[in-house]
Amino acid sequence: DRLWDARLERDALVELAAAIGSDVPFALVGHTAMGLGRGEKLTPVLARGHFHWVFAFAEGGLPTPQEYAELDRLRAGSVLPEPRVSDALMSALRAGDALALGSALGNDLQRAAVSLRPGLAMTLDVGDEYGALGTVVSGSGPTCAFLARDEEHALDLAVALTASGTCRTVTSAVGPVGGARHRPAQRIDLLHGMALADATDGWIAAHLAERLDALGQEQRARSPPGSRERGFGAGMAAANHDDVEG
């Protein structure tokens, strides 16, 4: 709108966003909202406080039509209840209760996503292993979302996921946030310890080597003698991927 100096009213912008894609209106509006229809009809939802999230991005994508077809196949012959808003989820958001929110997270498409991409189950398992309050495939995937207790716990989850080799890249976020705004691309190279340009994600790079060593020692201590665990190796070399992108 600003680029073309169209000066559209907000309702017109939201309508245009919905024509581009079902998820686009939420990126425009931001904050916390409930989506109806295809997800493009948004109603604001009261949410207190902030929540710390970690996102693990997988290689490639998942075609949405294929995923819905797989969900239909998995549900064939089942009697499905009418969709309704989760009271537990809304209550957790109103209270700003991260623990309750994690327990209330759910995604009907997760079953289909994992069926088509079994490796996502390994990514989700890493989050469970390191104490994520909630683990869920985000939308139609293949991105996985993890709710952390606080900033420190989000750092531990980000490093554990990066070192596990089960995903391509990892980033963190604190929400809710406002609508879309321009933000320059950011990237760090784990092998060289380059800090992210943005301080919001820079803490991952700042403590990465220390966390990898500590978590690696913890995992080795839990492992039976002579066993080979998936995940951490020695220090920075343990990461199977050499970058984290924001």
PDB file of all heavy atoms in Angstrom, residues 30-54:
ATOM      1  N   GLY A  30      -1.896  -8.942  12.889  1.00  0.00           N
ATOM      2  CA  GLY A  30      -1.045  -9.272  14.026  1.00  0.00           C
ATOM      3  C   GLY A  30      -1.810  -9.451  15.326  1.00  0.00           C
ATOM      4  O   GLY A  30      -3.019  -9.681  15.343  1.00  0.00           O
ATOM      5  N   HIS A  31      -1.073  -9.334  16.438  1.00  0.00           N
ATOM      6  CA  HIS A  31      -1.588  -9.537  17.789  1.00  0.00           C
ATOM      7  C   HIS A  31      -2.129 -10.968  17.940  1.00  0.00           C
ATOM      8  O   HIS A  31      -1.517 -11.905  17.425  1.00  0.00           O
ATOM      9  CB  HIS A  31      -2.634  -8.467  18.127  1.00  0.00           C
ATOM     10  CG  HIS A  31      -2.089  -7.082  18.018  1.00  0.00           C
ATOM     11  ND1 HIS A  31      -1.217  -6.546  18.943  1.00  0.00           N
ATOM     12  CD2 HIS A  31      -2.275  -6.122  17.070  1.00  0.00           C
ATOM     13  CE1 HIS A  31      -0.888  -5.321  18.594  1.00  0.00           C
ATOM     14  NE2 HIS A  31      -1.511  -5.037  17.452  1.00  0.00           N
ATOM     15  N   THR A  32      -3.229 -11.163  18.629  1.00  0.00           N
ATOM     16  CA  THR A  32      -3.813 -12.499  18.814  1.00  0.00           C
ATOM     17  C   THR A  32      -5.218 -12.477  18.241  1.00  0.00           C
ATOM     18  O   THR A  32      -5.993 -11.569  18.528  1.00  0.00           O
ATOM     19  CB  THR A  32      -3.864 -12.888  20.303  1.00  0.00           C
ATOM     20  OG1 THR A  32      -2.552 -12.790  20.852  1.00  0.00           O
ATOM     21  CG2 THR A  32      -4.374 -14.316  20.475  1.00  0.00           C
ATOM     22  N   ALA A  33      -5.539 -13.465  17.416  1.00  0.00           N
ATOM     23  CA  ALA A  33      -6.844 -13.462  16.749  1.00  0.00           C
ATOM     24  C   ALA A  33      -7.310 -14.882  16.493  1.00  0.00           C
ATOM     25  O   ALA A  33      -6.514 -15.821  16.435  1.00  0.00           O
ATOM     26  CB  ALA A  33      -6.774 -12.684  15.439  1.00  0.00           C
ATOM     27  N   MET A  34      -8.626 -15.025  16.352  1.00  0.00           N
ATOM     28  CA  MET A  34      -9.228 -16.299  15.972  1.00  0.00           C
ATOM     29  C   MET A  34      -9.662 -16.194  14.520  1.00  0.00           C
ATOM     30  O   MET A  34     -10.302 -15.216  14.117  1.00  0.00           O
ATOM     31  CB  MET A  34     -10.434 -16.607  16.867  1.00  0.00           C
ATOM     32  CG  MET A  34     -11.174 -17.881  16.497  1.00  0.00           C
ATOM     33  SD  MET A  34     -12.500 -18.242  17.679  1.00  0.00           S
ATOM     34  CE  MET A  34     -13.553 -16.797  17.455  1.00  0.00           C
ATOM     35  N   GLY A  35      -9.315 -17.210  13.711  1.00  0.00           N
ATOM     36  CA  GLY A  35      -9.643 -17.196  12.302  1.00  0.00           C
ATOM     37  C   GLY A  35     -10.812 -18.096  11.974  1.00  0.00           C
ATOM     38  O   GLY A  35     -10.870 -19.240  12.421  1.00  0.00           O
ATOM     39  N   LEU A  36     -11.742 -17.602  11.204  1.00  0.00           N
ATOM     40  CA  LEU A  36     -12.880 -18.386  10.708  1.00  0.00           C
ATOM     41  C   LEU A  36     -12.812 -18.445   9.187  1.00  0.00           C
ATOM     42  O   LEU A  36     -11.941 -17.847   8.571  1.00  0.00           O
ATOM     43  CB  LEU A  36     -14.198 -17.764  11.174  1.00  0.00           C
ATOM     44  CG  LEU A  36     -14.410 -17.666  12.683  1.00  0.00           C
ATOM     45  CD1 LEU A  36     -15.715 -16.936  12.992  1.00  0.00           C
ATOM     46  CD2 LEU A  36     -14.399 -19.041  13.329  1.00  0.00           C
ATOM     47  N   GLY A  37     -13.752 -19.186   8.593  1.00  0.00           N
ATOM     48  CA  GLY A  37     -13.721 -19.357   7.146  1.00  0.00           C
ATOM     49  C   GLY A  37     -12.499 -20.173   6.765  1.00  0.00           C
ATOM     50  O   GLY A  37     -12.271 -21.269   7.260  1.00  0.00           O
ATOM     51  N   ARG A  38     -11.680 -19.641   5.884  1.00  0.00           N
ATOM     52  CA  ARG A  38     -10.416 -20.274   5.515  1.00  0.00           C
ATOM     53  C   ARG A  38      -9.298 -19.854   6.462  1.00  0.00           C
ATOM     54  O   ARG A  38      -8.139 -20.211   6.254  1.00  0.00           O
ATOM     55  CB  ARG A  38     -10.034 -19.898   4.086  1.00  0.00           C
ATOM     56  CG  ARG A  38     -10.972 -20.415   3.021  1.00  0.00           C
ATOM     57  CD  ARG A  38     -10.506 -20.008   1.623  1.00  0.00           C
ATOM     58  NE  ARG A  38     -10.753 -18.596   1.336  1.00  0.00           N
ATOM     59  CZ  ARG A  38      -9.817 -17.666   1.244  1.00  0.00           C
ATOM     60  NH1 ARG A  38      -8.543 -17.975   1.440  1.00  0.00           N
ATOM     61  NH2 ARG A  38     -10.138 -16.411   0.955  1.00  0.00           N
ATOM     62  N   GLY A  39      -9.659 -19.079   7.488  1.00  0.00           N
ATOM     63  CA  GLY A  39      -8.668 -18.510   8.383  1.00  0.00           C
ATOM     64  C   GLY A  39      -8.464 -17.034   8.139  1.00  0.00           C
ATOM     65  O   GLY A  39      -7.735 -16.363   8.868  1.00  0.00           O
ATOM     66  N   GLU A  40      -9.148 -16.512   7.113  1.00  0.00           N
ATOM     67  CA  GLU A  40      -8.957 -15.122   6.716  1.00  0.00           C
ATOM     68  C   GLU A  40      -9.898 -14.158   7.439  1.00  0.00           C
ATOM     69  O   GLU A  40      -9.680 -12.945   7.426  1.00  0.00           O
ATOM     70  CB  GLU A  40      -9.124 -14.990   5.198  1.00  0.00           C
ATOM     71  CG  GLU A  40     -10.550 -14.873   4.690  1.00  0.00           C
ATOM     72  CD  GLU A  40     -11.341 -16.175   4.703  1.00  0.00           C
ATOM     73  OE1 GLU A  40     -10.830 -17.191   5.224  1.00  0.00           O
ATOM     74  OE2 GLU A  40     -12.478 -16.174   4.184  1.00  0.00           O
ATOM     75  N   LYS A  41     -10.962 -14.695   8.086  1.00  0.00           N
ATOM     76  CA  LYS A  41     -11.910 -13.851   8.812  1.00  0.00           C
ATOM     77  C   LYS A  41     -11.484 -13.819  10.272  1.00  0.00           C
ATOM     78  O   LYS A  41     -11.645 -14.796  10.999  1.00  0.00           O
ATOM     79  CB  LYS A  41     -13.327 -14.399   8.671  1.00  0.00           C
ATOM     80  CG  LYS A  41     -13.803 -14.470   7.225  1.00  0.00           C
ATOM     81  CD  LYS A  41     -15.160 -15.138   7.121  1.00  0.00           C
ATOM     82  CE  LYS A  41     -15.621 -15.244   5.678  1.00  0.00           C
ATOM     83  NZ  LYS A  41     -16.924 -15.975   5.559  1.00  0.00           N
ATOM     84  N   LEU A  42     -10.937 -12.697  10.699  1.00  0.00           N
ATOM     85  CA  LEU A  42     -10.262 -12.617  11.991  1.00  0.00           C
ATOM     86  C   LEU A  42     -11.083 -11.883  13.033  1.00  0.00           C
ATOM     87  O   LEU A  42     -11.700 -10.852  12.751  1.00  0.00           O
ATOM     88  CB  LEU A  42      -8.915 -11.917  11.823  1.00  0.00           C
ATOM     89  CG  LEU A  42      -7.930 -12.594  10.860  1.00  0.00           C
ATOM     90  CD1 LEU A  42      -6.681 -11.740  10.695  1.00  0.00           C
ATOM     91  CD2 LEU A  42      -7.579 -13.989  11.334  1.00  0.00           C
ATOM     92  N   THR A  43     -11.076 -12.439  14.249  1.00  0.00           N
ATOM     93  CA  THR A  43     -11.692 -11.801  15.411  1.00  0.00           C
ATOM     94  C   THR A  43     -10.633 -11.656  16.486  1.00  0.00           C
ATOM     95  O   THR A  43      -9.991 -12.648  16.852  1.00  0.00           O
ATOM     96  CB  THR A  43     -12.859 -12.644  15.959  1.00  0.00           C
ATOM     97  OG1 THR A  43     -13.834 -12.828  14.934  1.00  0.00           O
ATOM     98  CG2 THR A  43     -13.491 -11.965  17.158  1.00  0.00           C
ATOM     99  N   PRO A  44     -10.390 -10.434  16.997  1.00  0.00           N
ATOM    100  CA  PRO A  44      -9.368 -10.259  18.029  1.00  0.00           C
ATOM    101  C   PRO A  44      -9.665 -11.108  19.267  1.00  0.00           C
ATOM    102  O   PRO A  44     -10.815 -11.312  19.644  1.00  0.00           O
ATOM    103  CB  PRO A  44      -9.440  -8.764  18.349  1.00  0.00           C
ATOM    104  CG  PRO A  44     -10.054  -8.148  17.143  1.00  0.00           C
ATOM    105  CD  PRO A  44     -11.024  -9.163  16.611  1.00  0.00           C
ATOM    106  N   VAL A  45      -8.608 -11.603  19.881  1.00  0.00           N
ATOM    107  CA  VAL A  45      -8.716 -12.420  21.097  1.00  0.00           C
ATOM    108  C   VAL A  45      -7.881 -11.762  22.192  1.00  0.00           C
ATOM    109  O   VAL A  45      -6.737 -11.352  21.949  1.00  0.00           O
ATOM    110  CB  VAL A  45      -8.217 -13.863  20.847  1.00  0.00           C
ATOM    111  CG1 VAL A  45      -8.092 -14.637  22.147  1.00  0.00           C
ATOM    112  CG2 VAL A  45      -9.152 -14.576  19.881  1.00  0.00           C
ATOM    113  N   LEU A  46      -8.445 -11.660  23.392  1.00  0.00           N
ATOM    114  CA  LEU A  46      -7.721 -11.074  24.514  1.00  0.00           C
ATOM    115  C   LEU A  46      -6.597 -12.006  24.951  1.00  0.00           C
ATOM    116  O   LEU A  46      -6.823 -13.195  25.196  1.00  0.00           O
ATOM    117  CB  LEU A  46      -8.673 -10.823  25.685  1.00  0.00           C
ATOM    118  CG  LEU A  46      -8.033 -10.325  26.985  1.00  0.00           C
ATOM    119  CD1 LEU A  46      -7.395  -8.952  26.766  1.00  0.00           C
ATOM    120  CD2 LEU A  46      -9.076 -10.259  28.103  1.00  0.00           C
ATOM    121  N   ALA A  47      -5.386 -11.485  25.026  1.00  0.00           N
ATOM    122  CA  ALA A  47      -4.239 -12.262  25.503  1.00  0.00           C
ATOM    123  C   ALA A  47      -3.371 -11.369  26.373  1.00  0.00           C
ATOM    124  O   ALA A  47      -3.039 -10.242  25.981  1.00  0.00           O
ATOM    125  CB  ALA A  47      -3.434 -12.805  24.331  1.00  0.00           C
ATOM    126  N   ARG A  48      -3.018 -11.863  27.542  1.00  0.00           N
ATOM    127  CA  ARG A  48      -2.169 -11.109  28.466  1.00  0.00           C
ATOM    128  C   ARG A  48      -0.742 -11.628  28.406  1.00  0.00           C
ATOM    129  O   ARG A  48      -0.503 -12.812  28.182  1.00  0.00           O
ATOM    130  CB  ARG A  48      -2.695 -11.228  29.896  1.00  0.00           C
ATOM    131  CG  ARG A  48      -3.987 -10.476  30.155  1.00  0.00           C
ATOM    132  CD  ARG A  48      -4.318 -10.457  31.641  1.00  0.00           C
ATOM    133  NE  ARG A  48      -5.420  -9.562  31.933  1.00  0.00           N
ATOM    134  CZ  ARG A  48      -6.694  -9.918  31.903  1.00  0.00           C
ATOM    135  NH1 ARG A  48      -7.014 -11.165  31.613  1.00  0.00           N
ATOM    136  NH2 ARG A  48      -7.642  -9.041  32.177  1.00  0.00           N
ATOM    137  N   GLY A  49       0.201 -10.729  28.649  1.00  0.00           N
ATOM    138  CA  GLY A  49       1.594 -11.135  28.731  1.00  0.00           C
ATOM    139  C   GLY A  49       2.191 -11.484  27.377  1.00  0.00           C
ATOM    140  O   GLY A  49       1.628 -11.191  26.322  1.00  0.00           O
ATOM    141  N   HIS A  50       3.356 -12.120  27.443  1.00  0.00           N
ATOM    142  CA  HIS A  50       4.068 -12.527  26.245  1.00  0.00           C
ATOM    143  C   HIS A  50       4.471 -13.992  26.370  1.00  0.00           C
ATOM    144  O   HIS A  50       4.668 -14.504  27.469  1.00  0.00           O
ATOM    145  CB  HIS A  50       5.314 -11.661  26.026  1.00  0.00           C
ATOM    146  CG  HIS A  50       4.997 -10.259  25.634  1.00  0.00           C
ATOM    147  ND1 HIS A  50       4.708  -9.280  26.564  1.00  0.00           N
ATOM    148  CD2 HIS A  50       4.908  -9.658  24.415  1.00  0.00           C
ATOM    149  CE1 HIS A  50       4.454  -8.145  25.939  1.00  0.00           C
ATOM    150  NE2 HIS A  50       4.572  -8.343  24.639  1.00  0.00           N
ATOM    151  N   PHE A  51       4.603 -14.639  25.235  1.00  0.00           N
ATOM    152  CA  PHE A  51       4.959 -16.056  25.196  1.00  0.00           C
ATOM    153  C   PHE A  51       6.210 -16.231  24.340  1.00  0.00           C
ATOM    154  O   PHE A  51       6.371 -15.574  23.310  1.00  0.00           O
ATOM    155  CB  PHE A  51       3.807 -16.877  24.621  1.00  0.00           C
ATOM    156  CG  PHE A  51       2.529 -16.760  25.401  1.00  0.00           C
ATOM    157  CD1 PHE A  51       1.513 -15.913  24.964  1.00  0.00           C
ATOM    158  CD2 PHE A  51       2.338 -17.471  26.579  1.00  0.00           C
ATOM    159  CE1 PHE A  51       0.333 -15.788  25.687  1.00  0.00           C
ATOM    160  CE2 PHE A  51       1.169 -17.344  27.306  1.00  0.00           C
ATOM    161  CZ  PHE A  51       0.158 -16.505  26.864  1.00  0.00           C
ATOM    162  N   HIS A  52       7.077 -17.136  24.788  1.00  0.00           N
ATOM    163  CA  HIS A  52       8.340 -17.386  24.101  1.00  0.00           C
ATOM    164  C   HIS A  52       8.211 -18.637  23.235  1.00  0.00           C
ATOM    165  O   HIS A  52       7.867 -19.715  23.734  1.00  0.00           O
ATOM    166  CB  HIS A  52       9.467 -17.561  25.123  1.00  0.00           C
ATOM    167  CG  HIS A  52       9.763 -16.323  25.897  1.00  0.00           C
ATOM    168  ND1 HIS A  52      10.737 -15.411  25.523  1.00  0.00           N
ATOM    169  CD2 HIS A  52       9.202 -15.816  27.018  1.00  0.00           C
ATOM    170  CE1 HIS A  52      10.756 -14.407  26.377  1.00  0.00           C
ATOM    171  NE2 HIS A  52       9.836 -14.626  27.300  1.00  0.00           N
ATOM    172  N   TRP A  53       8.506 -18.481  21.959  1.00  0.00           N
ATOM    173  CA  TRP A  53       8.356 -19.563  20.987  1.00  0.00           C
ATOM    174  C   TRP A  53       9.673 -19.874  20.298  1.00  0.00           C
ATOM    175  O   TRP A  53      10.516 -18.994  20.117  1.00  0.00           O
ATOM    176  CB  TRP A  53       7.339 -19.181  19.910  1.00  0.00           C
ATOM    177  CG  TRP A  53       5.950 -18.933  20.421  1.00  0.00           C
ATOM    178  CD1 TRP A  53       5.428 -17.741  20.836  1.00  0.00           C
ATOM    179  CD2 TRP A  53       4.915 -19.908  20.580  1.00  0.00           C
ATOM    180  NE1 TRP A  53       4.126 -17.910  21.235  1.00  0.00           N
ATOM    181  CE2 TRP A  53       3.773 -19.233  21.087  1.00  0.00           C
ATOM    182  CE3 TRP A  53       4.832 -21.272  20.319  1.00  0.00           C
ATOM    183  CZ2 TRP A  53       2.583 -19.878  21.349  1.00  0.00           C
ATOM    184  CZ3 TRP A  53       3.646 -21.929  20.580  1.00  0.00           C
ATOM    185  CH2 TRP A  53       2.529 -21.233  21.091  1.00  0.00           C
ATOM    186  N   VAL A  54       9.820 -21.120  19.889  1.00  0.00           N
ATOM    187  CA  VAL A  54      10.930 -21.546  19.040  1.00  0.00           C
ATOM    188  C   VAL A  54      10.322 -22.277  17.843  1.00  0.00           C
ATOM    189  O   VAL A  54       9.395 -23.080  18.012  1.00  0.00           O
ATOM    190  CB  VAL A  54      11.904 -22.470  19.798  1.00  0.00           C
ATOM    191  CG1 VAL A  54      12.997 -22.981  18.863  1.00  0.00           C
ATOM    192  CG2 VAL A  54      12.521 -21.734  20.990  1.00  0.00           C
TER     193      VAL A  54
END
